[in-house]
Every structure is written in C-alpha cells, then in structure tokens.
Amino acid sequence: MATLKRCHLDMEDGNSSFPITKYPKLADDHSFPSSYPTKQSLKMVAGSFYLPKDNPKKPQGEDAHFICLEKQTLGVADGVGGWAKKGIDGGEYARQLMENSLISVQNQPRGAVDLKKVLREGYLQTKAQGSSTACIITLNEQKRRLHAINVGDSGFILFRNNRFLYRSPAMQHRFNRPYQLGNSSTSDRPESAVVSTIWVMPGDIIIVGTDGLFDNMWPEEIEEVLDQRSSTKASMEPEELAWNIAELAMHNSLNRHSVSPFSNAARMAGKEHIGGKVDDITVVVAHIV
C-alpha cells in the first residue's frame, strides 16, 4: 500500500453549530522550550496499512481512508457492520464518505483546511445506504497546530518522545453503539461532531485508526512498539510502522483470553466479553517533521 506524494484515497480491497473541545491544559503542560524556533513550519509525513477481517462476502472490508499530503490532511472511516442484517454494505458508505471528503479537501487552501466544511460536504455528497464513523485531521504548518474532527469511535492518538500524550474522545450513544454519519432517520449528522485543536512538535507521532485498532491495543502496547524501534535505531517509515501496529492489533483481536480495551469497556457496561474483538483494522501513522 504505497503512500503517494500528493493525495490518495484507499478504497480498501477492505442545532447548527459544532461543539468545540479545546485542551489548554495539554498546551500549557507541554509548551515549547524557549529555544524552539517558533517560526519554523512543520509538516506531516504519513503512511497507512489496512487489514480487513476475513469475510468473503465483503473482500473490501468496511473501513476506508485517505491521505492528502499536499493539503496535510488525512481521514479514516469505519462502516457500521450492523447494516448487513438489512443486506446493506456499510463499507460502501464509508468509502463514498472518504472519497467525497477528499474532494472537499482538495478544493481548499493548504494550511487552512476547514474540517467542518470538509465533513459537511463529504456527508452531503454521500448517497449510499448505511452509516459510518469518521475522523479527519489536518496540520496547520505555520501555527504548528493539529486540528481534528471526529464522529464515533474512530480517532487518533498523539505520542511524544514515544510516550502516550493524548487520545481523541470516543463518541458513543452506549456501549458498542458509536455515533455514526448516515442518511437514515436514526443516524447522526455532522453537527454532532467534536472538533479539537492541539499543539504538535517535531518528532511527534500521530496514529489515526478505526476501532479495530483501539478496541485491541492499549496505548502502552504502542509505546512498546515505538520503544523497540528506537532501541534498534531503525529508520522506520510511517507505512512500515503502521504495518507493525496493525499486525499486532490483529494478533490481539484473535486472542480469546486477553484483557483488551474492548473487553474492559464491556465489563464497565455490565456486558460479558473476554479477549479481543475481530474487526477491520486501519492504521495511519503520521510523523511530524
């Protein structure tokens, strides 16, 4: 799965205001050192890996994502599998949503991508049946801020010095029922999205994924992967790192005895579930340089 220099869409062979969530504590506690060249611009270098679950009826899986380095923007979506009971492929909705969101991104100026507009236009142009979660992030290179918009339990994690620093909030109506965009009367709308803004620094690693990643891997497990990379002094490209993390998430999903994030959430909701959760797994890794 190659990362293109400009933009690519992975079609996976698998009230009217937006609520805004800011995290001033994050910025204050992790402010830039006085020696940091504040006028220096940043950029994301990104790569991805996708592992659809084994389902002959849906060889493309239900996840989709895009990377647009030209506009320093990327996104992931996870089609809701429950639509299969009605004979609908939720993955088709996710793929259309990401394709239309990418079109919106390409029509906006670099460094000033309006994520609310992207999500709204992507949603309005998506006519497929089904529904999907979505997370889209963009880097303001001059202001060194990462902006994100999220609906559902897809999201991103920020690591600094190989340590877990921040995770975007997951949005769920109840356990295992995430917020989801769709055209049905019961689906959520773009106005339900959460918008967040955080500072980033050179060396930060952003990992964006669907719930197939977050249900099966704790942040500490990803820290171990990052530490291992550092200890071997290997120059690991984003795509290779995404592959390593996705493979480990898949391994965890098949473990019937582990205490996974999903089994822990189930227990807190009064449900019984032991082990990982078999699901499509999308991992996008972005290095801040």
Side-chain angles (χ1 to χ4, degrees), residues 106-264:
Q106 291 172 321
N107 291 329
Q108 296 196 38
R110 176 171 174 145
V113 174
D114 184 341
L115 293 182
K116 291 185 286 187
K117 183 177 181 180
V118 168
L119 189 66
R120 185 181 296 112
E121 289 182 348
Y123 168 79
L124 290 175
Q125 294 301 315
T126 300
K127 306 303 181 183
Q129 292 181 292
S131 59
S132 172
T133 67
C135 178
I136 305 173
I137 70 171
T138 190
L139 176 66
N140 185 310
E141 301 155 275
Q142 298 299 323
K143 294 185 178 179
R144 305 173 308 286
R145 291 176 181 172
L146 189 77
H147 301 281
I149 192 165
N150 186 58
V151 177
D153 53 7
S154 294
F156 72 94
I157 305 181
L158 169 65
F159 292 86
R160 181 167 297 159
N161 298 320
N162 292 351
R163 288 290 152 298
F164 166 59
L165 184 61
Y166 172 77
R167 177 181 170 178
S168 59
M171 303 171 62
Q172 296 199 60
H173 292 287
R174 59 179 182 271
F175 171 69
N176 209 28
R177 190 181 184 280
Y179 280 62
Q180 52 198 263
L181 298 174
N183 296 313
S184 73
S185 60
T186 58
S187 296
D188 299 292
R189 300 295 182 258
E191 291 75 19
S192 299
V194 171
V195 177
S196 56
T197 301
I198 61 175
W199 290 97
V200 289
M201 296 178 64
D204 285 356
I205 297 176
I206 313 295
I207 297 177
V208 188
T210 54
D211 65 338
L213 168 65
F214 299 117
D215 283 342
N216 290 299
M217 286 193 73
W218 298 98
E220 293 79 5
E221 293 179 284
I222 299 177
E223 287 181 348
E224 292 178 3
V225 176
L226 300 179
D227 284 340
Q228 184 176 18
R229 181 195 61 163
S230 298
S231 65
T232 59
K233 297 182 178 180
S235 179
M236 191 177 294
E237 295 297 322
E239 185 173 300
E240 185 180 358
L241 182 55
W243 176 79
N244 285 356
I245 293 171
E247 286 280 313
L248 183 54
M250 183 186 70
H251 174 78
N252 289 352
S253 74
L254 300 174
N255 187 331
R256 298 182 179 180
H257 306 289
S258 68
V259 179
S260 66
F262 184 78
S263 66
N264 187 62

Side-chain angles (χ1 to χ4, degrees), residues 2-40:
T3 301
L4 304 185
K5 291 182 179 179
R6 289 186 177 270
C7 300
H8 80 267
L9 171 75
D10 213 307
M11 298 308 291
E12 312 296 25
D13 216 320
N15 85 46
S16 63
S17 61
F18 286 70
I20 297 179
T21 304
K22 294 198 180 229
Y23 301 91
K25 206 168 178 186
L26 184 73
D28 293 341
D29 291 349
H30 301 276
S31 57
F32 295 106
S34 58
S35 60
Y36 182 76
T38 56
K39 292 185 179 181
Q40 183 184 53

